[in-house]
Amino acid sequence: MDIVAIAGAGLIAAAAAVLLKQYKPEYAMVLSLAAVAVFFGWILSGLLPALSTMREMAGQAADSTGALRVLIKCLGVCYLCEIAAEICKEAGQTAIASKVELAGRVAVLLLCLPMFEELLRIALTLIHL
């Protein structure tokens, strides 16, 4: 992943969106969404080797694969909600953006509940020993 290329492309897309916003605001939004989609794909393609390495390490550890799966899902939810909220804020919809962020927090909480239950079960087992 070439961060210089991503930063340069981001600056070009931002400048183009600012220019378009003066004349055709609806096209500026479409350009922003397209840029976000391209950058997201670009970042994911750079992240795939790291994810495969994490899977290999989790395969070596007996019980942590479930925790790793939850962690990856939580990261995905966080990034997706952050991107969606920023797009809503850019469109001037701060109320919707805050609800998207809240939905992301609730989704992360729901994803982590089984882990919390397991930790509580382990703690109770240790206390009763």
Side-chain angles (χ1 to χ4, degrees), residues 15-102:
V18 167
L19 288 174
L20 270 176
K21 196 171 203 175
Q22 294 174 355
Y23 303 106
K24 296 282 187 179
E26 60 276 5
Y27 291 151
M29 185 66 166
V30 171
L31 175 68
S32 294
L33 289 173
V36 165
V38 168
F39 292 145
F40 198 65
W42 205 346
I43 291 166
L44 281 179
S45 70
L47 193 61
L48 288 177
L51 289 175
S52 66
T53 301
M54 289 172 63
R55 268 200 195 105
E56 289 174 15
M57 290 189 312
Q60 294 171 356
D63 197 19
S64 68
T65 55
L68 180 65
R69 188 174 298 126
V70 170
L71 176 66
I72 291 171
K73 285 180 183 179
C74 287
L75 283 173
V77 166
C78 289
Y79 285 133
L80 185 64
C81 288
E82 181 182 353
I83 289 168
E86 288 299 320
I87 290 171
C88 290
K89 286 177 187 175
E90 184 180 324
Q93 301 297 322
T94 55
I96 294 173
S98 67
K99 299 314 176 264
V100 168
E101 290 171 343
L102 178 62

